[in-house]
């Protein structure tokens, strides 16, 4: 059903068909939402003209949704940095070929380049300065009413009333292009809304499977803010260590190349808009009082429906904000990407859940006293194959090559940090995690999300904080999506068996370098064997003086 819905959205964008398929749920049904109020005045209600729209642009969004969403003062999410914005706050178009299209003559076809060629950003700003709207009337409604499309209502995710504007004989092409952008932006968020809803069932299955794999305590706590951001979708996993969204998708999306490209393009649209006008993100990643609210792991599946509804409500509020405020609208429209066609998220629900899965997995691992370890500037596969294996304290014969997920033995190698990660169970030092990592990376998350994201969180000093989203010149950055603690092997004790140095960040675990006994098959002339974690890659790995046992 969801797949059919997404196909109909995309077909509507291309063919201009009108259909009635989506009813936006009332956020008041969710304990996290607010009382819902109508987004628009009734058509017959008497409304007086207000001062020019230019004079009240900054307050346009708040009036339409004041009773439906938290006030701006309640939003403390750090998404308002202006670093990286150009002087006008809009994103320039890329140069593309559009042979045969006359942007001033709609009968010759349409092209995204026409937004730039017709200088529509300036035209819209001039239109705003010269027109007045009803008091508290959203910008989209005002524009569509005044240019001859009063029947169109695009002020929320309303696929039944936000339909393709018909081309009228003799009309100014600039009017049509702006009207079409309202429709196309609305449809894009409609496809996102649908994908989130369609992913709900899969999310429930994932929760069951992850719990079965990791077996966390039922009372493991999840922070509501983090769950909501993670459920927002692939936008929640914008990397935090210099990875591009495109490179991340290559790892996450195991589908046809054109699907990955469509996903990458769709992400860039929103990223560009938020860079141009960061306030757009205040509804995509709101926090309010959710930072202090807790959900226990045992209750997560039962509450998944209301959480999904909350995320969909935030998407609807985002659309309402964009349609109410010219600056927000132009942050999307000025890219030109919504001028000739209607972008849509493809029918791939699994990728939306990678951020959600990563947060759940890392929280479940932490609940079991399992942490990440990192051997900086170490390629464990090279260590096992470059001849140095003859000087290692124990063989790494299972690391002769990496799997497709960059796993060998119990280790994962990061191409971003050029370092090797592993998991370490503080209560069971000898436990190996290679099979678990392979299972997790085959379906639910990636090493970049689980390990690199946790490492970036630790390096920024934010370990222990809820998931957060920032925007700067590098783009969207989701911080601390993985809540794993990352401990660094202490390399200062080279060649010396010092029970005081295991990790840089904290003291040694119990049994660290303790005597494992001399009854081992590997003992030589009753020489002592010393216990180390299964994923040990500290300095004593490169010596043969001490016998080490990792289980």
């Amino acid at each position: 059903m969801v797949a059919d819905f997404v196909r109909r959205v995309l077909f509507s964008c291309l063919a201009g068909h009108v259909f009635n398929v989506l009813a936006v749920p009332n956020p008041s049904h969710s304990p996290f939402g607010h009382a819902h109020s109508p987004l628009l005045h009734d058509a017959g209600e008497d409304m007086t003209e207000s001062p020019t729209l230019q004079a009240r642009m900054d307050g346009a969004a708040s009036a339409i949704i004041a009773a439906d969403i938290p006030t701006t003062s309640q939003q403390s999410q750090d998404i308002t940095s202006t670093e990286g914005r150009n002087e006008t706050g809009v994103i320039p178009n890329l140069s593309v070929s559009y042979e045969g299209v006359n942007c001033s003559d709609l009968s010759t076809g349409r092209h995204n380049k026409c937004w730039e060629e017709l200088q529509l950003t300036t035209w819209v700003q001039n239109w705003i300065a010269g027109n007045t709207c009803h008091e508290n009337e959203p910008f989209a409604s005002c524009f569509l009413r005044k240019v001859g499309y009063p029947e169109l209502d695009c002020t929320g995710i309303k696929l039944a009333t936000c339909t393709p504007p018909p081309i009228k004989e003799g009309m100014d092409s600039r009017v049509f292009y702006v009207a079409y952008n309202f429709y196309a932006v609305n449809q894009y968020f409609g496809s996102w809304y649908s994908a989130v809803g369609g992913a709900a069932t899969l999310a429930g299955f994932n929760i069951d499977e992850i719990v079965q794999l990791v077996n966390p305590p039922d009372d493991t706590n999840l922070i509501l803010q983090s769950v909501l951001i993670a459920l927002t979708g692939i936008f929640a996993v914008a990397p935090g260590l210099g990875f591009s969204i495109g490179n991340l998708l290559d790892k996450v999306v195991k589908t046809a190349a054109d699907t990955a490209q469509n996903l990458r393009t769709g992400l860039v649209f929103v990223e560009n808009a938020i860079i141009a006008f960061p306030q757009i993100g205040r509804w995509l990643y709101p926090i309010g009082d959710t930072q202090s609210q807790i959900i226990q792991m045992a209750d997560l599946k039962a509450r998944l429906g209301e959480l999904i509804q909350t995320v969909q409500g935030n998407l609807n509020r985002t659309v309402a904000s964009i349609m109410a405020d010219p600056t927000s609208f132009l942050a999307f429209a000025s890219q030109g990407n919504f001028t000739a066609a209607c972008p849509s998220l493809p029918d791939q629900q699994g990728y939306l859940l990678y951020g959600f899965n990563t947060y759940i997995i890392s929280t479940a691992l932490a609940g079991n006293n399992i942490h990440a370890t990192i051997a900086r500037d170490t390629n464990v596969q090279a260590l096992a194959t470059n001849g140095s294996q003859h000087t290692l304290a124990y063989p790494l014969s299972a690391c002769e090559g990496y799997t497709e997920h960059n796993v060998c033995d119990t280790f994962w190698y990061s191409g971003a940090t050029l370092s090797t990660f592993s998991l370490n169970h503080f209560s069971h030092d000898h436990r190996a995690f290679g099979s678990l990592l392979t299972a997790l990376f085959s379906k639910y998350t990636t090493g970049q999300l689980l390990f690199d994201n946790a490492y970036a969180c630790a390096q920024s000093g934010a370990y222990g904080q809820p998931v957060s989203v920032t925007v700067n010149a590098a783009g969207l950055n989701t911080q601390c999506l993985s809540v794993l603690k990352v401990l660094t092997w202490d390399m200062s004790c080279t060649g010396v068996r010092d029970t005081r140095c295991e990790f840089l960040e904290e003291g040694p675990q119990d049994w660290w370098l303790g005597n494992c006994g001399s009854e081992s098959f590997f003992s030589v002339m009753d020489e002592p064997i010393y216990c180390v974690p299964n994923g040990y890659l500290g300095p004593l790995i490169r010596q043969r003086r001490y016998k080490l046992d990792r289980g």
Side-chain angles (χ1 to χ4, degrees):
M1 180 181 298
V2 174
D4 181 62
F5 167 78
V6 175
R7 282 192 289 272
R8 283 189 287 165
V9 170
L10 186 56
F11 181 76
S12 167
C13 295
L14 299 177
H17 287 189
V18 180
F19 53 93
N20 242 324
V21 295
L22 179 64
V24 177
N26 189 332
S28 65
H29 295 165
S30 167
F32 312 117
H34 296 256
H36 192 78
S37 61
L39 294 180
L40 290 176
H41 294 280
D42 292 333
E45 185 177 346
D46 179 50
M47 294 187 289
T48 59
E49 295 286 322
S50 70
T52 62
L53 190 58
Q54 182 68 48
R56 59 180 185 84
M57 282 174 62
D58 292 338
S62 58
I64 180 176
I65 47 182
D68 185 52
I69 50 183
T71 63
T72 304
S73 63
Q74 292 173 289
Q75 307 300 318
S76 57
Q77 184 71 19
D78 182 16
I79 55 167
T80 56
S81 167
T82 58
E83 181 182 351
R85 292 176 58 180
N86 60 28
E87 185 175 353
T88 61
V90 298
I91 308 297
N93 295 83
L94 298 177
S95 178
V96 293
S97 172
Y98 58 112
E99 183 177 355
V101 174
N102 179 352
C103 292
S104 298
D105 183 356
L106 293 170
S107 67
T108 65
R110 308 197 305 273
H111 197 279
N112 282 343
K113 185 70 174 180
C114 290
W115 186 279
E116 180 180 14
E117 181 173 308
L118 296 175
Q119 301 180 34
L120 289 177
T121 297
T122 300
W123 185 84
V124 169
Q125 292 168 339
N126 290 337
W127 188 94
I128 292 170
N131 284 271
T132 57
C133 298
H134 298 310
E135 186 166 0
N136 294 333
E137 184 180 25
F139 170 55
S141 299
C142 177
F143 182 89
L144 293 171
R145 173 176 61 83
K146 289 217 163 193
V147 301
Y149 295 120
E151 73 280 6
L152 300 184
D153 178 5
C154 297
T155 55
I157 299 176
K158 303 179 178 182
L159 304 186
T161 60
C162 187
T163 56
I167 298 176
K168 300 179 181 180
E169 185 176 356
M171 74 180 304
D172 187 332
S173 63
R174 294 172 297 185
V175 169
F176 174 82
Y177 277 125
V178 175
Y180 189 88
N181 269 260
F182 287 123
Y183 160 73
V185 171
N186 192 288
Q187 296 290 298
Y188 171 77
F189 277 92
S191 71
W192 188 355
Y193 180 106
S194 172
V196 169
T201 300
L202 182 57
F205 289 140
N206 286 357
I207 292 170
D208 288 340
E209 294 167 2
I210 290 168
V211 167
Q212 185 173 5
L213 282 169
V214 183
N215 192 28
D218 287 345
D219 60 355
T220 300
N221 288 333
L222 303 159
I223 299 174
L224 176 58
Q225 169 192 321
S226 301
V227 174
L228 293 177
I229 291 177
L231 273 174
T232 302
I234 196 69
F235 298 87
V237 300
L241 201 64
F243 313 117
S244 70
I245 287 180
N247 289 339
L248 178 67
L249 282 171
D250 292 337
K251 299 288 186 181
V252 171
V253 182
K254 302 175 180 65
T255 59
D258 57 343
T259 298
Q261 180 58 43
N262 288 341
L263 291 172
R264 184 180 296 109
T265 302
L267 294 175
V268 170
F269 296 159
V270 175
E271 186 175 38
N272 285 349
I274 293 179
I275 290 173
F277 188 58
Q279 284 297 327
I280 289 171
R282 69 190 184 277
W283 310 128
L284 289 178
Y285 307 111
I287 57 174
D289 61 352
T290 61
Q291 187 170 355
S292 60
Q293 294 187 38
I294 299 297
I295 299 175
Q296 290 197 333
M297 185 73 74
D299 300 327
L300 179 60
K301 186 176 179 181
R303 297 186 62 178
L304 189 59
E306 65 191 44
L307 296 171
I308 290 287
Q309 188 181 63
T310 300
V311 172
Q312 289 181 314
N314 289 340
L315 290 171
N316 188 45
R317 293 172 189 131
T318 299
V319 173
S321 176
I322 293 168
M323 297 300 163
D325 174 37
T327 304
S328 299
F329 170 72
L330 288 175
F332 280 92
S334 63
Q335 301 177 53
N337 296 310
F338 297 88
T339 302
C342 174
S344 175
L345 289 176
D347 180 25
Q348 295 293 328
Q349 297 166 14
Y351 79 93
L352 279 169
L353 294 176
Y354 266 66
F356 174 71
N357 295 343
T358 301
Y359 176 65
I360 301 305
I361 289 167
S362 61
T363 303
L365 290 169
N368 273 334
N369 205 24
I370 297 172
H371 307 283
T373 63
I374 180 173
R376 290 176 178 165
D377 302 315
T378 300
N379 183 333
V380 67
Q381 188 267 339
L383 194 64
T385 59
N386 64 7
S388 61
Q389 69 267 28
H390 300 298
T391 62
L392 298 180
Y394 51 76
L396 292 170
S397 55
C399 265
E400 293 182 357
Y402 288 117
T403 69
E404 61 177 318
H405 306 295
N406 263 21
V407 174
C408 75
D409 199 318
T410 195
F411 307 102
W412 178 79
Y413 179 69
S414 166
T417 63
L418 304 180
S419 301
T420 297
F421 289 86
S422 185
L423 294 175
N424 188 7
H425 196 318
F426 275 21
S427 303
H428 302 281
D429 252 3
H430 287 178
R431 181 178 173 184
F433 288 95
S435 59
L436 177 62
L437 292 179
T438 297
L440 294 176
F441 297 160
S442 296
K443 186 176 181 180
Y444 306 103
T445 186
T446 68
Q448 289 87 350
L449 294 176
L450 186 64
F451 288 121
D452 283 335
N453 191 284
Y455 182 66
C457 176
Q459 292 299 104
S460 70
Y463 171 74
Q465 299 300 310
V467 179
S468 62
V469 180
T470 59
V471 60
N472 53 33
L476 286 176
N477 172 27
T478 303
Q479 191 171 43
C480 302
L481 188 68
S482 175
V483 304
L484 283 177
K485 178 186 289 186
V486 179
L487 301 175
T488 309
W489 293 114
D490 186 346
M491 304 300 288
S492 65
C493 301
T494 304
V496 179
R497 188 182 71 83
D498 189 338
T499 58
R500 296 170 300 177
C501 67
E502 183 179 15
F503 299 116
L504 293 179
E505 292 83 1
E506 60 183 54
Q509 305 169 58
D510 291 341
W511 302 108
W512 161 243
L513 285 183
N515 193 330
C516 296
S518 59
E519 303 302 321
S520 167
F521 173 79
F522 298 102
S523 64
V524 179
M525 299 179 64
D526 290 330
E527 290 182 19
I529 299 175
Y530 301 103
C531 291
V532 294
N534 188 269
Y536 177 72
L537 286 178
L540 293 182
I541 186 67
R542 295 176 179 269
Q543 56 79 46
R544 301 293 294 271
R545 177 182 176 186
Y546 303 106
K547 305 296 182 182
L548 304 182
D549 179 18
R550 62 178 188 139

